[in-house]
Amino acid sequence: MTAKLPESGTLAADTPQYRSDAYDFVAAAVNFTVEKLPRRRHVSARELLDGAREFAEREYGAVAPLVLNEWGIYTAHDVGFLVYRMIRHGILAADEKDDPQDFEIDYSFSQEPLDFSGEIPKIR
């Protein structure tokens, strides 16, 4: 379960397209990604996105994309928006090479796209 940031409610109040859980998730995904490294260092947008996907899959399994969507996270842009919002509020840090445009890429939070086009089996 993702820990709650004390500031997530305040941040979410100013951005109704994102639930407070989205901020909590991204902060936890940053920690997860950094902790996986052999030594602590800054991570790139792509590394963070890959780490966030892995973290979501570990936490929520096959329904991870649905959970993220429920919180307002659909694209890499959403993660970047949340990251830079937390940077502006002193929760996360950036280095001089970072740019919000680094998150403007086509990225899927699912290894395999979920297919809901089939018929739902009936339970007897």
Side-chain angles (χ1 to χ4, degrees):
M1 189 56 112
T2 305
K4 287 283 195 191
L5 286 174
E7 305 90 338
S8 64
T10 303
L11 291 168
D14 294 335
T15 54
Q17 69 271 35
Y18 300 107
R19 292 196 16 205
S20 63
D21 295 317
Y23 288 96
D24 298 329
F25 170 78
V26 170
V30 169
N31 287 332
F32 172 83
T33 303
V34 170
E35 303 243 337
K36 284 183 40 174
L37 299 171
R39 64 177 175 72
R40 195 168 182 87
R41 66 168 172 79
H42 184 76
V43 295
S44 69
R46 182 61 190 227
E47 288 173 315
L48 174 55
L49 293 168
D50 289 342
R53 179 174 55 201
E54 182 180 344
F55 181 67
E57 289 170 350
R58 285 184 182 204
E59 290 289 305
Y60 309 109
V63 298
L66 298 175
V67 172
L68 296 180
N69 291 170
E70 178 68 26
W71 297 338
I73 300 173
Y74 297 91
T75 66
H77 168 85
D78 295 314
V79 173
F81 178 89
L82 296 165
V83 163
Y84 276 89
R85 191 103 201 292
M86 288 188 278
I87 289 168
R88 285 192 297 279
H89 283 84
I91 299 165
L92 297 175
D95 75 15
E96 63 280 347
K97 293 180 231 153
D98 290 330
D99 186 322
Q101 291 298 312
D102 296 340
F103 289 93
E104 299 303 322
I105 61 172
D106 186 22
Y107 190 88
S108 173
F109 287 103
S110 171
Q111 295 282 352
E112 297 291 328
L114 299 174
D115 180 10
F116 295 106
S117 62
E119 191 174 311
I120 298 172
K122 295 188 182 196
I123 299 174
R124 295 179 202 225

